[in-house]
Amino acid sequence: MENKVPIVPVVSSFSGLTMPVIGMGTASYPPVDAGTLKSAIVEAIRAGYRHFDTAFIYGSEQPLGAAIAEALNIGLIKSRNELFITSKLWCTYAEPDLVIPAIKMSLENLQLEYLDLYLIHWPLKFSKEVSRLPVPKEEVSVIDIKSVWSAMEECQLLGLTKAIGVSNFSSRKLEEILSFAKIPPAVNQVEMNPLWQQKELNEYCKAKGIHVSAHSPLGSKGTLWGDNRIFDCHALKEIAEAKGKTIAQICLRWVYEQGASVIAKSFNKKRMEENLEIFDWSLSVEELEKIRGLPQCKFNSIGTFIEPSAELEAQL
């Protein structure tokens, strides 16, 4: 099937990097079995998705790799080069000597020779393997970003990934990286949706040439940290009904109109297709104003993973 997802240029030191503006997320809670995930990804490729977002901690790298192999085998795509694959460095491996082994482990899981984008998942380091959630605060520290970023740069220089970036980083942490980086972050993947609009961070990233990619565009419904606020929002319901669209489509279109790419997760074939149908219409000035005025509230996924620590949060 012809790919119908627009491609967005990503400003970075790696000349010519582009990425599809909608990616399929592969994190799920509760986790689905590998066979179900693989089948969903194959269906997504059939529907026109070409950007897939995974991470070591999701446990989805191997099913994604198997789905890519099947898509090639049955002719849905002709080459791996047609896909844009993002994975992430987990906090347990956020040490300079562990970064290259970690990306190689992800590549082995994916059965790939390179990633298109490799992100630092959180600006945090865990002292040992996570055995329970939330992670005890004494096992969590702020990442030594200078040494870890140098190892990320080495990943790109070695050709293990085409580009490098970060996830869940504040403008303050980005400013720190930019003060010493030889290769600046190409992307910052953060929570972004009509109820957590990230206006200041988005403007900062645009000014610095860092592309924003939005995770949790629908509020992470069904996860430990998400809820139904997006789908219960009266203003979003009104806009969706007036336009004959779903609330999900309104949210995804809103993110797109902010200049960000978006990671949307659905394993339902109909919703997968609906999530791609956001490019032949737009939100009106009045609708954008209504969304701009919505009360803001972060869904706070980090609080699900680590015990509360005011000292730690002050450094992020």
Side-chain angles (χ1 to χ4, degrees), residues 62-83:
Q62 289 183 339
L64 175 55
I68 294 169
E70 181 169 324
L72 285 165
N73 187 48
I74 64 179
L76 288 179
I77 52 174
K78 294 178 181 178
S79 166
R80 177 263 181 268
N81 296 339
E82 295 178 36
L83 302 178

Side-chain angles (χ1 to χ4, degrees), residues 3-233:
N3 182 21
K4 55 186 178 183
V5 179
I7 303 294
V8 62
V10 175
V11 179
S12 77
S13 57
F14 188 92
S15 177
L17 178 68
T18 60
M19 65 192 288
V21 296
I22 290 187
M24 178 182 176
T26 61
S28 61
Y29 183 86
V32 298
D33 66 88
T36 299
L37 181 53
K38 175 190 168 186
S39 296
I41 294 167
V42 171
E43 281 302 317
I45 294 173
R46 198 187 309 276
Y49 287 84
R50 294 295 180 266
H51 177 186
F52 292 90
D53 180 87
T54 185
F56 174 80
I57 195 62
Y58 299 164
S60 60
E61 289 176 332
Q62 289 183 339
L64 175 55
I68 294 169
E70 181 169 324
L72 285 165
N73 187 48
I74 64 179
L76 288 179
I77 52 174
K78 294 178 181 178
S79 166
R80 177 263 181 268
N81 296 339
E82 295 178 36
L83 302 178
F84 189 101
I85 307 299
T86 298
S87 193
K88 307 178 191 76
L89 176 76
W90 184 235
C91 305
T92 308
Y93 304 103
E95 295 185 31
D97 59 336
L98 297 180
V99 174
I100 290 176
I103 192 174
K104 287 182 175 179
M105 183 164 50
S106 289
L107 289 170
E108 183 177 349
N109 288 339
L110 288 158
Q111 304 173 59
L112 298 178
E113 294 181 358
Y114 68 91
L115 296 173
D116 295 278
L117 180 62
Y118 195 47
L119 305 177
I120 299 175
H121 205 148
W122 286 93
L124 298 170
K125 177 185 174 297
F126 295 162
S127 61
K128 58 184 180 180
E129 288 290 342
V130 176
S131 57
R132 67 178 177 89
L133 293 177
V135 181
K137 58 186 177 183
E138 60 269 16
E139 294 180 14
V140 183
S141 58
V142 174
I143 193 172
D144 177 3
I145 191 59
K146 188 171 185 177
S147 63
V148 171
W149 189 253
S150 178
M152 294 287 287
E153 291 174 328
E154 188 67 16
C155 289
Q156 181 168 332
L157 294 172
L158 290 171
L160 299 172
T161 181
K162 287 188 174 182
I164 52 177
V166 295
S167 180
N168 304 303
F169 271 54
S170 65
S171 56
R172 182 168 65 175
K173 297 304 290 184
L174 289 170
E175 193 72 32
E176 186 178 348
I177 294 178
L178 292 173
S179 71
F180 54 72
K182 296 174 183 175
I183 303 174
V187 171
N188 186 20
Q189 187 185 114
V190 295
E191 177 187 337
M192 184 178 177
N193 56 61
L195 298 187
W196 188 244
Q197 296 179 15
Q198 298 272 37
K199 183 179 178 183
E200 290 184 5
L201 180 60
N202 194 25
E203 289 177 352
Y204 173 87
C205 288
K206 285 179 180 178
K208 298 296 183 179
I210 300 170
H211 178 76
V212 171
S213 190
H215 71 68
S216 309
L218 308 179
S220 301
K221 178 183 176 183
T223 65
L224 283 170
W225 58 90
D227 59 31
N228 292 335
R229 270 177 283 167
I230 291 280
F231 292 94
D232 290 341
C233 177

